[in-house]
């Protein structure tokens, strides 16, 4: 082959690789808040913060919807928008058949730890995620999913911020993923997921929130005496941070019912930014 032909062939080959990479990059981010991103055992929706430059690494908030809801509805709800307004890359996975197969759940459809791991891996292949700045949050049964991941998903998230959902019975006696940073919000007037739990279909049973918090104090090696208390809006929070593990546990209560308000998100973010692990 003549030298000129070889050069042409080389240049065309290089151009093909570049165009292929560009096409692959465009495809990689083709999903979002209106079009789901598929993974092997499910899918998720994602929202990037307004004004993001497309390059700066973002903190990640994975939000788990409640029973009967969807990732698409969750990603467009006020709570997800509040996380996005705080500068987070927000991800809302879909529960299989609108439910979750967490510890104690009536559903046994999917290995949720494996599913969430695949979601996080896929997210990180598409968007730049800041190291050690990943939080799992969720509402109702989605909150129970967060407790499940905190207990069983090793190296999953930097912190966990469940709302109105906790362990189901029987409570796990050991948590292989512990110790963890965990901040739980719950309403003392909640009748859907009461603080003491309730039976479901006479076979399954939501767990006791305070008992679960006591377990987390033990898993984290925390002194049982409250280290600090504070009030913000309708939330009264007790914080345990004298923990041998260096982790923190916080329980925030209000006297209302079953709710996850967008106005609570800045307080969760402030707690995250106070953690020694966050961004370290």
């Amino acid at each position: 082959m003549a030298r000129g032909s070889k050069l042409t062939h080389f240049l065309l080959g290089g151009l093909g690789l570049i165009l292929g990479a560009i096409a692959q990059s465009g495809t990689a981010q083709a999903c979002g808040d209106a079009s789901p991103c598929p993974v092997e055992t499910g899918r998720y929706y994602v929202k990037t913060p307004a004004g993001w430059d497309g390059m700066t690494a973002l903190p990640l908030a994975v939000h788990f919807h409640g029973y009967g809801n969807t990732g698409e509805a969750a990603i467009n709800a006020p709570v997800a928008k509040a996380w996005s307004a705080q500068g987070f890359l927000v991800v809302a996975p879909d529960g299989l058949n609108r439910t979750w197969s967490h510890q104690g759940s009536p559903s046994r459809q999917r290995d949720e730890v494996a599913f969430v791991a695949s979601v996080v891996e896929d997210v990180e292949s598409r968007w730049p995620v800041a190291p050690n700045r990943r939080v799992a949050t969720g509402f109702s049964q989605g909150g129970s999913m967060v407790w499940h991941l905190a207990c069983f998903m090793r190296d999953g998230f930097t912190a966990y911020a469940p709302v109105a959902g906790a362990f189901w019975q029987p409570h796990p006696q050991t948590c292989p993923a512990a110790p963890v940073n965990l901040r739980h919000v719950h309403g003392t007037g909640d009748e859907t997921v009461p603080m003491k739990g309730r039976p479901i279909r006479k076979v399954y049973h939501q767990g006791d929130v305070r008992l679960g918090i006591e377990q987390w104090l033990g898993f984290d090696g925390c002194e049982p005496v409250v280290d600090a208390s504070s009030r913000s809006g309708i939330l009264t929070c007790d914080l345990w941070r004298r923990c041998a593990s260096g982790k923190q546990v916080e329980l925030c209560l209000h006297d209302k019912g079953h709710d996850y308000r967008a106005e609570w998100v800045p307080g969760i973010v402030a707690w995250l930014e106070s953690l020694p692990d966050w961004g370290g």
Side-chain angles (χ1 to χ4, degrees):
M1 183 183 293
R3 181 178 179 182
S5 298
K6 289 181 177 180
L7 180 59
T8 300
H9 180 76
F10 174 78
L11 292 175
L12 288 175
L15 179 60
L17 290 173
I18 293 171
L19 291 175
I22 292 173
Q24 185 177 11
S25 175
T27 301
Q29 294 195 29
C31 56
D33 56 359
S35 178
C37 306
V39 293
E40 184 176 355
T41 57
R43 64 184 189 177
Y44 65 91
Y45 293 82
V46 64
K47 183 187 294 293
T48 56
W52 177 53
D53 61 14
M55 297 179 292
T56 302
L58 298 168
L60 174 66
V62 180
H63 176 65
F64 297 90
H65 63 74
Y67 175 77
N69 212 326
T70 66
E72 183 177 18
I75 201 67
N76 291 294
V79 166
K81 293 176 181 178
W83 279 102
S84 182
Q86 292 289 318
F88 279 73
L89 176 67
V90 187
V91 168
D94 254 342
L96 201 57
N97 296 322
R98 302 190 175 213
T99 187
W100 300 105
S101 300
H102 56 76
Q103 166 268 337
S105 169
S107 175
R108 296 290 185 272
Q109 303 179 80
R110 182 171 63 188
D111 181 340
E112 300 291 22
V113 170
F115 167 63
V116 175
S118 70
V119 167
V120 172
E121 181 179 8
D122 193 69
V123 168
E124 292 182 334
S125 75
R126 297 171 185 267
W127 291 274
V129 175
N132 301 320
R133 297 180 72 192
R134 301 187 301 184
V135 59
T137 187
F139 173 60
S140 193
Q141 195 189 21
S144 293
M145 258 295 291
V146 175
W147 281 58
H148 176 82
L149 296 173
C151 187
F152 298 108
M153 186 175 179
R154 295 181 185 273
D155 303 318
F157 294 88
T158 315
Y160 300 84
V163 177
F167 283 142
W168 284 40
Q169 293 184 4
H171 285 216
Q173 296 306 302
T174 60
C175 279
V180 301
N181 297 298
L182 185 137
R183 182 185 195 265
H184 182 77
V185 177
H186 215 106
T188 57
D190 193 334
E191 296 181 356
T192 304
V193 183
M195 289 285 294
K196 290 185 176 297
R198 69 180 176 101
I200 304 293
R201 303 178 198 167
K202 299 182 180 180
V203 177
Y204 307 98
H205 206 293
Q206 296 166 349
D208 185 296
V209 174
R210 290 192 183 278
L211 174 59
I213 291 295
E214 289 176 7
Q215 288 183 282
W216 282 117
L217 295 177
F219 296 151
D220 282 3
C222 304
E223 295 184 19
V225 179
V226 174
D227 184 58
S229 295
S230 63
R231 185 172 179 83
S232 177
I234 66 170
L235 296 179
T236 299
C237 301
D238 288 338
L239 175 65
W240 293 265
R241 59 187 172 205
R242 286 176 291 177
C243 306
S245 62
K247 305 298 184 181
Q248 294 186 15
V249 177
E250 187 165 15
L251 175 62
C252 296
L253 300 178
H254 57 87
D255 62 2
K256 307 301 180 183
H258 199 57
D259 202 1
Y260 186 166
R261 300 186 182 184
E263 66 195 57
W264 297 339
V265 171
I268 300 173
V269 174
W271 171 72
L272 291 172
E273 292 177 345
S274 75
L275 297 173
D277 296 346
W278 190 255

